[in-house]
Each structure stands twice: as structure tokens, then as C-alpha cells.
Amino acid sequence: MIARRLFTQNFRNLVSGDISFDDGVNVISGQNGQGKTNLLEALCLFTGVRSFRGAKNAELIAKGEKYARMELDFFADKREQNASLVITDKKQATLNGVKQTAATGFIGRFCAVVFSPDNMSLVKGGSNERRRFLDAAISQQFPTYPRLLVEYNRILAQRNAFLKKSGSTAGFESMLEIWDENLSQTGARISVKRAEYVSRLEGKTAGIFDGISSGRDSIKLRYSCSYLNPESINETVAALRKQLETHRASDLSQGCTNYGAHRDDLHISVNDMAARVYASQGQKRSCVLALKLAEASLLEESAGERPIAVLDDVMSELDGLRQDYLLNQMDGWQVFISCCDPYTVKGLDKGRIIEVEGGRFSVKSRG
């Protein structure tokens, strides 16, 4: 999957016009506030999902303008393709001349894996961030998985509401058994699917992390679930149901469900020590990079095409060896890297340097 050319008009602070990309590494260079991330954001909107910055439509349109328009030429599915997007209070999308009912029509047609500073919460944040990462990654490969999550969250909310108000209700125990059975059936399937994905993810992550660190560090992943039996869905269901039964008293006193797929976690260790506590900032950033690139590699295996890699503000806190890996060792990837430090650009052996100042771009090739 290759992005060829991007046209923007009235998009944030970007000066209207075309910009073409190298099939390999594209470094977006410039000081803060000049438009580097705006360019990456515009490109990623063609994946069909909302802005990775969480921006509303009105925030994407240049001040004083009523609309923004963008066009992308890209290669995917063994052919050249074109997509266009007009942003007003909504998004109007066209793919290869065919109008789409929504921008979500781009999903699966143009794919990107994005690293942004917010992704650091994968290591630094709580378990909910890591579960969200796993669920989003699995959903791209298994279309039925999101429905399973919706069903689980519905049952969980109903069980919690029941716990809060029904402790003294006649027949309480028998009614709670129904919620426990339903929660166990869905929760077990989620946990097993996550564990299977982590098992596949770990090998990819370890290899990429080894490359990023030049073999100096190692990473390990472990899916934490107290009732999991990866070999048997039925035994996992039974184990979760048993935990729910055993801890009903504490659930009642707290008015919430303390066991289930919503409490699982992904443990990340660097050199056999918990990354969240002991890893340096550079190591933590390398962990997230490796996880995101491993996610893209697994997506490539299932979809048959490698997504583009978009790395926003990734170079800070990485030493020279790690920077060299991203700039010069990611063979077979089309990569977009934003950076502020002009010395970073000097480390690029070949590719394209796109300098940004005041929303204007100047392009230089290297090698």
C-alpha cells in the first residue's frame, strides 16, 4: 500500500496544493506549529476513521472557510486508486469516482498504522488503554469481534445496575445467576481471542523491538487473565462463572463487577522488568513503536497488504541507533516521520525530506 500524491485545500493551516511522496521514507521536518502533524492527519483521514487527534469536522477547516477538500492518489489491491474527501459539517467521500455513503467507505481500502504521543499511554497508562489497543487491533481482523464487545459491555452494565439496586430483592440470587452465565459466555470468548492475538503479536513485537534497539534490549508480552484456559473455551467459561459466584459478596458491597474481561491486562516487560515502572523514556517509546508496527505486520498477513506507517513526533527521546532503524532499516515499508530536530534529517540515507514552514512545503530527495 503506497500513498502517491496528496492534494489539500482549506485544510487547517496547510497552503492549498499538491505534494507527492517517496515509496520509502518520508521525513516531515519543521518547527512546532508549522503544519507537520496537519499533513499526517490529512493523509490518515483517508483510512475512513476519525482524526487520530480526535478533532471535530469544524476544526479541520481553515479559519474563515466553509469547507476543506482533499484528494489522495494511492496504490493498493494491485492497482492505482483515487479517493477524495470534502469536509463541511459532515464528510463526503468518493472512491475511484464512486460516491460513498460515508467516509467509513474507505476502511480497508487505504490502511495506516499511526504512532502519536498519545499512544505512550499503552505503556504509561492503565490497563484500559492496553485493552483498547488489543480490541481495536483484533477488530480489524475479525469483523464479528466488535459485536462481541458490545454484547459484553451491555451485559456488564446491566449486571452492575442490578448489583447496585437489587441486593434485598426476593429471588436475587437466581436472577444474578442469569447475568453471571451470560457474562461468562461472552467474557470468556473475548479473553481467549485476546490471548490468541497476544501470542501472535509477541513474536512480531520481539523481532521489531530487537531491530529498533539494535539487539541491546528485549521485550516480552503476557496477557493477564485469572480464569483463562487458552485450550478450552468451555473451561474458561466455567472458571469465570466460578469467580463471579465466589465474589458476589464483594461485588454487592461495591456495586460493581470485579472479575471479567474488563479487568484483564497486557503486561509489557523490557529486559524482564515491568516497562511501565522501570523502562527509560526511549525504551517505552520503542515498546509502543514495536507494538504498533507488529500490529501492522499481523494486519498485513490477514489483509495481504502492508499499511503505511505514520510516526508523529517519534524521534524525540530515541538515541541515534533507534533513529537510524526508523530512517534507514524499515525495508518494505512506506513510512512518514515528523520531526523538529534538523539533525535528524541528516541521518536519512535515502527517501524524501518535506520541509514545512507556515503550512508551506518544500520537497527534497535524498539518495
Side-chain angles (χ1 to χ4, degrees):
M1 194 163 293
I2 302 292
R4 304 285 198 202
R5 177 193 68 92
L6 177 68
F7 169 82
T8 64
Q9 180 183 15
N10 302 335
F11 185 83
R12 290 201 184 260
N13 80 323
L14 302 185
V15 174
S16 299
D18 287 291
I19 185 166
S20 59
F21 304 118
D22 189 89
D23 290 359
V25 179
N26 298 270
V27 177
I28 320 298
S29 174
Q31 295 303 308
N32 288 331
Q34 301 305 303
K36 301 186 304 297
T37 301
N38 293 345
L39 173 63
L40 300 181
E41 181 183 33
L43 182 63
C44 290
L45 285 174
F46 285 96
T47 62
V49 299
R50 66 178 302 184
S51 162
F52 64 80
R53 302 159 91 179
K56 299 178 181 178
N57 286 347
E59 297 170 324
L60 303 174
I61 302 171
K63 290 182 179 179
E65 302 294 342
K66 296 181 179 180
Y67 70 94
R69 185 169 69 90
M70 300 183 295
E71 186 174 310
L72 177 69
D73 293 333
F74 65 100
F75 181 84
D77 196 24
K78 301 179 181 179
R79 62 193 178 107
E80 300 291 342
Q81 301 193 54
N82 174 270
S84 63
L85 196 59
V86 176
I87 305 171
T88 53
D89 57 337
K90 60 182 179 180
K91 294 186 178 79
Q92 302 171 50
T94 303
L95 180 64
N96 300 320
V98 179
K99 289 185 178 181
Q100 307 295 301
T101 56
T104 52
F106 293 151
I107 293 177
R109 303 298 188 92
F110 180 72
C111 302
V113 58
V114 181
F115 172 95
S116 71
D118 289 345
N119 294 137
M120 291 299 294
S121 60
L122 268 175
V123 177
K124 295 181 177 181
S127 59
N128 61 313
E129 299 290 344
R130 290 177 286 278
R131 288 193 300 271
R132 189 178 297 118
F133 163 72
L134 291 176
D135 290 338
I138 295 169
S139 294
Q140 290 191 77
Q141 296 192 35
F142 301 95
T144 60
Y145 185 76
R147 293 199 293 271
L148 191 62
L149 291 172
V150 169
E151 178 67 6
Y152 180 84
N153 289 327
R154 182 186 66 81
I155 297 168
L156 178 64
Q158 291 175 341
R159 186 181 193 268
N160 286 341
F162 190 72
L163 287 168
K164 290 176 181 178
K165 68 180 183 180
S166 302
S168 59
T169 301
F172 168 77
E173 289 288 337
S174 61
M175 293 175 70
L176 193 57
E177 286 175 3
I178 297 174
W179 297 120
D180 289 357
E181 176 63 24
N182 292 337
L183 197 71
S184 299
Q185 290 289 340
T186 53
R189 282 162 174 77
I190 288 170
S191 295
V192 168
K193 183 63 73 175
R194 287 175 181 164
E196 291 173 350
Y197 184 80
V198 171
S199 178
R200 296 170 57 214
L201 186 71
E202 182 174 33
K204 299 285 187 184
T205 304
I208 294 170
F209 189 84
D210 182 75
I212 294 174
S213 69
S214 299
R216 294 173 297 175
D217 299 313
S218 63
I219 188 172
K220 291 182 181 178
L221 307 179
R222 179 176 61 84
Y223 187 65
S224 175
C225 175
S226 59
Y227 53 84
L228 180 68
N229 184 337
E231 306 299 322
S232 171
I233 284 284
N234 290 335
E235 289 188 25
T236 303
V237 170
L240 176 53
R241 188 190 305 114
K242 181 65 175 177
Q243 284 196 351
L244 292 171
E245 292 172 356
T246 301
H247 296 92
R248 279 180 186 172
S250 61
D251 285 358
L252 268 172
S253 65
Q254 297 177 45
C256 66
T257 304
N258 291 290
Y259 292 87
H262 61 294
R263 297 293 192 184
D264 297 349
D265 199 357
L266 172 64
H267 288 295
I268 306 168
S269 61
V270 173
N271 301 330
D272 295 320
M273 301 180 72
R276 186 172 182 268
V277 179
Y278 297 105
S280 68
Q281 288 299 106
Q283 287 173 326
K284 288 175 180 174
R285 193 161 291 233
S286 298
C287 285
V288 178
L289 272 170
L291 283 166
K292 297 294 286 185
L293 294 175
E295 173 197 352
S297 183
L298 289 178
L299 184 59
E300 177 188 10
E301 289 182 357
S302 64
E305 292 197 68
R306 175 169 286 179
I308 66 169
V310 176
L311 312 177
D312 185 31
D313 191 23
V314 69
M315 304 303 269
S316 61
E317 298 175 350
L318 294 182
D319 59 29
L321 287 173
R322 288 181 168 91
Q323 289 186 5
D324 179 71
Y325 177 85
L326 296 178
L327 291 171
N328 302 309
Q329 308 299 323
M330 291 182 61
D331 296 334
W333 291 84
Q334 186 182 34
V335 188
F336 295 82
I337 305 174
S338 70
C339 67
C340 297
D341 189 349
Y343 289 101
T344 300
V345 174
K346 295 181 179 180
L348 180 66
D349 292 337
K350 59 181 179 179
R352 186 156 298 177
I353 300 167
I354 303 170
E355 296 180 347
V356 189
E357 184 174 359
R360 296 182 181 274
F361 300 93
S362 58
V363 179
K364 301 177 181 179
S365 293
R366 181 70 59 86

